[in-house]
PDB file of all heavy atoms in Angstrom:
ATOM      1  N   PHE A 787      82.132   6.427 165.052  1.00 40.00           N
ATOM      2  CA  PHE A 787      81.850   6.033 163.677  1.00 40.00           C
ATOM      3  C   PHE A 787      81.229   4.641 163.639  1.00 40.00           C
ATOM      4  O   PHE A 787      80.308   4.379 162.888  1.00 40.00           O
ATOM      5  CB  PHE A 787      83.141   6.021 162.849  1.00 40.00           C
ATOM      6  CG  PHE A 787      83.732   7.400 162.664  1.00 40.00           C
ATOM      7  CD1 PHE A 787      85.078   7.548 162.359  1.00 40.00           C
ATOM      8  CD2 PHE A 787      82.938   8.539 162.803  1.00 40.00           C
ATOM      9  CE1 PHE A 787      85.611   8.799 162.186  1.00 40.00           C
ATOM     10  CE2 PHE A 787      83.484   9.798 162.630  1.00 40.00           C
ATOM     11  CZ  PHE A 787      84.825   9.932 162.328  1.00 40.00           C
ATOM     12  N   THR A 788      81.726   3.757 164.438  1.00 42.00           N
ATOM     13  CA  THR A 788      81.207   2.389 164.435  1.00 42.00           C
ATOM     14  C   THR A 788      79.760   2.338 164.898  1.00 42.00           C
ATOM     15  O   THR A 788      78.936   1.604 164.344  1.00 42.00           O
ATOM     16  CB  THR A 788      82.074   1.505 165.332  1.00 42.00           C
ATOM     17  OG1 THR A 788      83.424   1.619 164.917  1.00 42.00           O
ATOM     18  CG2 THR A 788      81.628   0.056 165.266  1.00 42.00           C
ATOM     19  N   TRP A 789      79.419   3.206 165.883  1.00 40.00           N
ATOM     20  CA  TRP A 789      78.057   3.183 166.400  1.00 40.00           C
ATOM     21  C   TRP A 789      77.053   3.724 165.380  1.00 40.00           C
ATOM     22  O   TRP A 789      75.886   3.342 165.369  1.00 40.00           O
ATOM     23  CB  TRP A 789      77.990   4.016 167.697  1.00 40.00           C
ATOM     24  CG  TRP A 789      78.824   3.426 168.795  1.00 40.00           C
ATOM     25  CD1 TRP A 789      79.208   2.140 168.925  1.00 40.00           C
ATOM     26  CD2 TRP A 789      79.386   4.128 169.895  1.00 40.00           C
ATOM     27  NE1 TRP A 789      79.967   1.965 170.025  1.00 40.00           N
ATOM     28  CE2 TRP A 789      80.110   3.172 170.668  1.00 40.00           C
ATOM     29  CE3 TRP A 789      79.371   5.453 170.339  1.00 40.00           C
ATOM     30  CZ2 TRP A 789      80.776   3.508 171.826  1.00 40.00           C
ATOM     31  CZ3 TRP A 789      80.025   5.782 171.490  1.00 40.00           C
ATOM     32  CH2 TRP A 789      80.735   4.821 172.224  1.00 40.00           C
ATOM     33  N   ARG A 790      77.463   4.642 164.489  1.00 42.00           N
ATOM     34  CA  ARG A 790      76.526   5.250 163.540  1.00 42.00           C
ATOM     35  C   ARG A 790      76.180   4.308 162.402  1.00 42.00           C
ATOM     36  O   ARG A 790      75.193   4.512 161.712  1.00 42.00           O
ATOM     37  CB  ARG A 790      77.115   6.541 162.971  1.00 42.00           C
ATOM     38  CG  ARG A 790      77.168   7.683 163.993  1.00 42.00           C
ATOM     39  CD  ARG A 790      77.718   8.943 163.350  1.00 42.00           C
ATOM     40  NE  ARG A 790      76.846   9.381 162.264  1.00 42.00           N
ATOM     41  CZ  ARG A 790      75.822  10.217 162.421  1.00 42.00           C
ATOM     42  NH1 ARG A 790      75.505  10.668 163.613  1.00 42.00           N
ATOM     43  NH2 ARG A 790      75.090  10.592 161.373  1.00 42.00           N
ATOM     44  N   ASN A 791      76.979   3.315 162.134  1.00 42.00           N
ATOM     45  CA  ASN A 791      76.659   2.357 161.061  1.00 42.00           C
ATOM     46  C   ASN A 791      75.522   1.445 161.502  1.00 42.00           C
ATOM     47  O   ASN A 791      75.587   0.830 162.557  1.00 42.00           O
ATOM     48  CB  ASN A 791      77.884   1.512 160.711  1.00 42.00           C
ATOM     49  CG  ASN A 791      78.944   2.352 160.012  1.00 42.00           C
ATOM     50  OD1 ASN A 791      78.610   3.335 159.363  1.00 42.00           O
ATOM     51  ND2 ASN A 791      80.194   1.951 160.156  1.00 42.00           N
ATOM     52  N   GLU A 792      74.498   1.383 160.713  1.00 42.00           N
ATOM     53  CA  GLU A 792      73.350   0.556 161.062  1.00 42.00           C
ATOM     54  C   GLU A 792      73.614  -0.875 160.623  1.00 42.00           C
ATOM     55  O   GLU A 792      74.039  -1.125 159.503  1.00 42.00           O
ATOM     56  CB  GLU A 792      72.089   1.088 160.374  1.00 42.00           C
ATOM     57  CG  GLU A 792      71.729   2.513 160.817  1.00 42.00           C
ATOM     58  CD  GLU A 792      70.480   3.005 160.100  1.00 42.00           C
ATOM     59  OE1 GLU A 792      69.862   2.172 159.417  1.00 42.00           O
ATOM     60  OE2 GLU A 792      70.154   4.179 160.236  1.00 42.00           O
ATOM     61  N   PRO A 793      73.302  -1.813 161.485  1.00 41.00           N
ATOM     62  CA  PRO A 793      73.512  -3.214 161.098  1.00 41.00           C
ATOM     63  C   PRO A 793      72.488  -3.654 160.071  1.00 41.00           C
ATOM     64  O   PRO A 793      71.354  -3.165 160.043  1.00 41.00           O
ATOM     65  CB  PRO A 793      73.345  -3.960 162.422  1.00 41.00           C
ATOM     66  CG  PRO A 793      72.483  -3.063 163.257  1.00 41.00           C
ATOM     67  CD  PRO A 793      72.817  -1.660 162.862  1.00 41.00           C
ATOM     68  N   GLY A 794      72.902  -4.547 159.240  1.00 40.00           N
ATOM     69  CA  GLY A 794      71.993  -5.085 158.232  1.00 40.00           C
ATOM     70  C   GLY A 794      71.919  -4.288 156.974  1.00 40.00           C
ATOM     71  O   GLY A 794      71.231  -4.674 156.026  1.00 40.00           O
ATOM     72  N   LYS A 795      72.580  -3.101 156.948  1.00 41.00           N
ATOM     73  CA  LYS A 795      72.566  -2.261 155.761  1.00 41.00           C
ATOM     74  C   LYS A 795      73.991  -2.041 155.301  1.00 41.00           C
ATOM     75  O   LYS A 795      74.491  -0.929 155.251  1.00 41.00           O
ATOM     76  CB  LYS A 795      71.894  -0.919 156.036  1.00 41.00           C
ATOM     77  CG  LYS A 795      70.399  -1.065 156.305  1.00 41.00           C
ATOM     78  CD  LYS A 795      69.748   0.287 156.442  1.00 41.00           C
ATOM     79  CE  LYS A 795      68.236   0.156 156.673  1.00 41.00           C
ATOM     80  NZ  LYS A 795      67.576   1.466 156.778  1.00 41.00           N
ATOM     81  N   LYS A 796      74.620  -3.109 155.019  1.00 42.00           N
ATOM     82  CA  LYS A 796      76.018  -3.044 154.612  1.00 42.00           C
ATOM     83  C   LYS A 796      76.105  -2.597 153.168  1.00 42.00           C
ATOM     84  O   LYS A 796      75.403  -3.105 152.302  1.00 42.00           O
ATOM     85  CB  LYS A 796      76.676  -4.413 154.772  1.00 42.00           C
ATOM     86  CG  LYS A 796      78.135  -4.422 154.393  1.00 42.00           C
ATOM     87  CD  LYS A 796      78.746  -5.792 154.619  1.00 42.00           C
ATOM     88  CE  LYS A 796      80.188  -5.807 154.209  1.00 42.00           C
ATOM     89  NZ  LYS A 796      80.790  -7.139 154.394  1.00 42.00           N
ATOM     90  N   ILE A 797      76.952  -1.619 152.924  1.00 42.00           N
ATOM     91  CA  ILE A 797      77.143  -1.088 151.569  1.00 42.00           C
ATOM     92  C   ILE A 797      78.139  -1.968 150.857  1.00 42.00           C
ATOM     93  O   ILE A 797      79.236  -2.221 151.345  1.00 42.00           O
ATOM     94  CB  ILE A 797      77.625   0.364 151.607  1.00 42.00           C
ATOM     95  CG1 ILE A 797      76.595   1.229 152.343  1.00 42.00           C
ATOM     96  CG2 ILE A 797      77.885   0.893 150.223  1.00 42.00           C
ATOM     97  CD1 ILE A 797      77.015   2.659 152.538  1.00 42.00           C
ATOM     98  N   SER A 798      77.779  -2.423 149.721  1.00 45.00           N
ATOM     99  CA  SER A 798      78.672  -3.302 148.973  1.00 45.00           C
ATOM    100  C   SER A 798      79.775  -2.510 148.346  1.00 45.00           C
ATOM    101  O   SER A 798      79.665  -1.301 148.150  1.00 45.00           O
ATOM    102  CB  SER A 798      77.874  -4.057 147.898  1.00 45.00           C
ATOM    103  OG  SER A 798      77.336  -3.131 146.978  1.00 45.00           O
TER     104      SER A 798
END
Side-chain angles (χ1 to χ4, degrees):
F787 293 158
T788 306
W789 296 336
R790 289 182 62 90
N791 290 332
E792 298 179 8
K795 292 185 178 181
K796 181 178 179 181
I797 301 175
S798 63

